[in-house]
Amino acid sequence: MTPFPHLRLPRLHARLMRTALSAALFLSLLLAPATAENTPDRDSDAIIDGYHDFQTLRETAHNLADAHETVTVEKLGTTLGGRGVGLITLAHPDVDPATNPAILILGQEHAPHLLGSELALRIAADLAEREDLLRRVTFYIIPRPSPDASEAFFTLPYYQRTTNLRPTDDDNDGLHSEDGPNDLNDDGYVTQLRIADPEGTHTPHADDDRVMVKAPPDTPADERYTIITEAKDDDGDERIGEDGPGGVAFDLNFPFEYPYFKRGAGPHQVSEVETRSVADFAFDHPNIAAVFTFSPRDNLLHPWKPNPGAEQQRIKTTLQSDDAPYYGQIIERYKTHHAAGDPPPAMEGGGDFVQWAYFHYGRLSLAARAWAPPKAEGEDAPDHRDLAVLDWFEREGMDGFVDWQVIDHPDYPGKRVEVGGFKPFVRLNPPAEMLDDLADTHGAFVVDLAEMLPRLVLRDVKVEPLDGGLVRVTVRVVNEGSLPSVMRMGAINKVPEPVRLKLELPDDPDAELLTGDSRVTLPALRGNGGSHEQTWLIRTEAELLQLTVEGPAVHGDSHEVEW
């Protein structure tokens, strides 16, 4: 039986899908604020069928909350486009969510990666019914942290936009957003231009001239091309498409290795409502023990590597060696759920949420692309990833590529200019009929991750009455969870709140603690059996005391001691 019965997207006839989608889009158009981009009417399209636009995603989340006491929905902030950065909290109704360790799930770090928000929404629907798990673990899910940028997925012409609606002047001409991409062949997609150029850096692949590859040094001049986004010089400055709509990219605006002056990075770190909302929420919730992000910056199938030689540097930029075994353990667990074969390279670069969550926020930070077009197997399988994608399109009967078409380009008179290439979104987001199975596998992994969280228990409690009303109390705190009580990176940057062992003196006005502190800060305890022994010497006539492990991001323990 599937664990996602509530959010099954029906495999309906295309006509029914067109009707439902048109109704949703019409509702979104009516309800959109004046500052938001409105979505035009258009026929159903395979690129977006089965995916939630902002309005339908919001309605689905609120319907989930209406149906389950374990679910609450709130807004962390309002974007420039008038859309909310939504949060779904999953916790047992009898438990304060802040008192349990939590996992933060970010549905979509990279705006065109709509797959992430779809999987996050489905995972929320599954977790809503797992009351036993929710008694012990809280889940915070932010399905679509950059909704303005993601709404381009549903707006004609389709363009793989990464930035929000902040007005920016990318070409420093005193204007903003005046020279962006254009749909020059009126096919509804913004793809690419390939321009015959003796000094061009690309050339057609020998096995399929639709695919453009880096030109070897000996490539003849008449086989070289320059590749740019489909656009023209709208502002007359002799540059093409250099100042498009928006904005700031969510995955370039975080402080870790912030890419100063890079287009899309923003005027400064955490400058946007979207990034501030997420960062503030994270810091306001110290019970978050782990972060799981759907992102092309995949570190589950492309693991981070430790560099012991760099660990002595003041600024840490590589995975800490002490944390590496835990990442390795989790990666092996992930692969039991999702065998992705030969995944594409992970997206690189700083300013992203995934690295920030580890290096600055100090938590275990995991990221999954979740899907990529699979490569065929066998001797005849294409050896280039773009060829493999085209091969997969053909096997699946998908129309994911715009064949190259010669056009008259006003800015390249007398030159051969062609428009075409991969349709936007299709290499990042699978057909909707694949979403439920992908949610099943990743939801199962999230449950496994929850069971691995640190669990600190009190063992070998010993009380020794001594002469003169003295009592020696000894206890061993043991981490029976798979993950450490604090990641090494967290211990270095001191962001996670420390875990403490608390001793409550007996109800005796003359009781006196002679050695030790009533609250002891525990060292980081490794997973799978890491321990710490603590001893106190007390003067008391009472015969009862309480020991408690306190820490927002761990499963704690409490023990009443009598003698």
Side-chain angles (χ1 to χ4, degrees):
M1 179 179 177
T2 174
F4 296 93
H6 314 292
L7 215 58
R8 284 287 165 197
L9 296 178
R11 278 77 167 178
L12 297 179
H13 186 276
R15 182 177 179 183
L16 293 178
M17 288 297 292
R18 282 197 298 270
T19 302
L21 188 57
S22 296
L25 289 169
F26 181 66
L27 180 61
S28 177
L29 180 62
L30 289 177
L31 298 180
T35 55
E37 297 171 328
N38 290 336
T39 304
D41 287 334
R42 57 21 179 175
D43 291 334
S44 175
D45 190 290
I47 284 183
I48 66 169
D49 276 352
Y51 283 79
H52 291 72
D53 65 5
F54 172 76
Q55 187 64 30
T56 54
L57 182 144
R58 179 181 179 278
E59 291 170 357
T60 301
H62 281 278
N63 289 340
L64 190 64
D66 291 342
H68 297 278
E69 290 185 326
T70 54
V71 180
T72 58
V73 175
E74 59 187 292
K75 183 169 64 174
L76 300 179
T78 302
T79 67
L80 292 175
R83 300 180 178 95
V85 178
L87 168 73
I88 302 172
T89 299
L90 296 117
H92 195 281
D94 296 338
V95 178
D96 179 354
T99 60
N100 274 337
I103 295 176
L104 171 61
I105 300 175
L106 196 78
Q108 186 185 343
E109 183 199 39
H110 186 54
H113 192 225
L114 269 286
L115 165 64
S117 58
E118 294 293 335
L119 299 189
L121 202 58
R122 287 163 170 78
I123 289 171
D126 170 49
L127 293 173
E129 294 211 334
R130 296 179 177 266
E131 292 196 8
D132 288 345
L133 177 61
L134 296 180
R135 284 187 181 277
R136 298 178 285 112
V137 181
T138 297
F139 294 88
Y140 301 118
I141 299 180
I142 303 174
R144 191 168 294 174
S146 187
D148 290 352
S150 298
E151 203 68 4
F153 192 89
F154 305 93
T155 305
L156 287 172
Y158 297 122
Y159 169 55
Q160 198 159 302
R161 177 174 170 168
T162 61
T163 57
N164 65 6
L165 296 182
R166 172 185 284 274
T168 56
D169 179 14
D170 292 325
D171 56 358
N172 299 311
D173 63 355
L175 304 173
H176 60 78
S177 308
E178 82 286 356
D179 194 5
N182 305 98
D183 180 13
L184 298 176
N185 59 343
D186 294 323
D187 64 352
Y189 307 102
V190 173
T191 52
Q192 289 183 310
L193 298 179
R194 65 180 184 186
I195 305 155
D197 181 357
E199 298 181 359
T201 58
H202 286 72
T203 191
H205 193 285
D207 294 338
D208 190 330
D209 63 6
R210 292 177 295 175
V211 172
M212 303 302 292
V213 296
K214 288 286 187 180
D218 59 352
T219 302
D222 61 354
E223 295 179 11
R224 289 179 172 270
Y225 292 83
T226 293
I227 305 295
I228 63 173
T229 298
E230 184 179 355
K232 58 185 177 67
D233 183 10
D234 286 324
D235 59 356
D237 64 356
E238 298 184 355
R239 290 183 289 177
I240 295 176
E242 81 287 351
D243 195 359
V248 180
F250 179 87
D251 56 348
L252 293 177
N253 195 231
F254 281 88
F256 179 75
E257 295 193 335
Y258 177 68
Y260 291 95
F261 310 116
K262 182 175 181 179
R263 181 180 295 185
H268 57 79
Q269 302 161 340
V270 200
S271 61
E272 305 307 295
V273 169
E274 296 90 336
T275 45
R276 288 200 309 273
S277 295
V278 173
D280 286 347
F281 176 81
F283 282 122
D284 288 343
H285 291 77
N287 61 322
I288 294 173
V291 179
F292 179 45
T293 304
F294 288 106
S295 171
R297 289 179 172 82
D298 191 331
N299 66 0
L300 287 171
L301 297 180
H302 292 284
W304 293 341
K305 303 295 184 184
N307 182 358
E311 291 185 18
Q312 303 307 313
Q313 297 176 0
R314 184 176 66 86
I315 298 176
K316 313 301 182 183
T317 59
T318 60
L319 177 68
Q320 298 298 291
S321 296
D322 288 348
D323 293 336
Y326 302 108
Y327 274 85
Q329 181 182 356
I330 292 169
I331 287 166
E332 291 306 310
R333 187 74 63 91
Y334 178 72
K335 289 180 178 178
T336 66
H337 294 288
H338 184 66
D342 181 22
M347 185 183 293
E348 296 180 351
D352 59 289
F353 173 80
V354 175
Q355 293 184 94
W356 174 85
Y358 175 72
F359 289 103
H360 286 186
Y361 187 49
R363 267 57 169 195
L364 175 79
S365 180
L366 308 170
R369 180 186 292 263
W371 175 85
K375 295 179 70 174
E377 298 180 356
E379 294 182 2
D380 298 330
D383 61 355
H384 188 277
R385 185 162 297 279
D386 284 349
L387 293 177
V389 174
L390 290 173
D391 179 66
W392 184 73
F393 286 164
E394 184 176 347
R395 286 185 279 123
E396 295 293 318
M398 286 182 57
D399 180 17
F401 193 91
V402 176
D403 289 331
W404 295 103
Q405 169 192 355
V406 176
I407 63 170
D408 292 325
H409 197 291
D411 302 311
Y412 296 99
K415 283 195 172 185
R416 180 180 177 86
V417 180
E418 298 170 84
V419 60
F422 286 97
K423 291 182 177 180
F425 306 108
V426 294
R427 287 183 288 180
L428 278 174
N429 302 283
E433 58 264 23
M434 300 179 66
L435 295 175
D436 293 325
D437 288 340
L438 290 167
D440 290 349
T441 58
H442 288 84
F445 169 71
V446 167
V447 172
D448 274 3
L449 180 62
E451 298 296 350
M452 298 173 71
L453 296 180
R455 186 172 64 256
L456 274 56
V457 298
L458 300 171
R459 294 284 183 261
D460 305 328
V461 180
K462 184 168 59 174
V463 179
E464 301 173 85
L466 305 175
D467 294 339
L470 301 182
V471 178
R472 181 186 293 122
V473 179
T474 305
V475 64
R476 191 163 60 95
V477 184
V478 182
N479 183 5
E480 295 186 349
S482 299
L483 299 178
S485 59
V486 180
M487 301 297 292
R488 175 59 184 160
M489 193 66 239
I492 291 171
N493 62 28
K494 298 181 174 60
V495 174
E497 288 193 12
V499 182
R500 293 184 173 91
L501 175 60
K502 175 184 175 184
L503 179 145
E504 292 186 52
L505 291 172
D507 188 14
D508 174 4
D510 298 323
E512 183 180 3
L513 182 61
L514 301 178
T515 63
D517 296 320
S518 60
R519 276 187 172 84
V520 178
T521 299
L522 296 174
L525 301 182
R526 63 175 177 81
N528 299 309
S531 65
H532 172 78
E533 187 173 276
Q534 182 66 35
T535 299
W536 295 273
L537 189 64
I538 306 170
R539 177 180 286 115
T540 180
E541 297 297 329
E543 297 180 348
L544 181 71
L545 58 83
Q546 186 82 22
L547 296 173
T548 305
V549 175
E550 296 178 327
V554 301
H555 294 286
D557 192 9
S558 185
H559 196 89
E560 191 175 71
V561 182
E562 281 189 272
W563 65 90

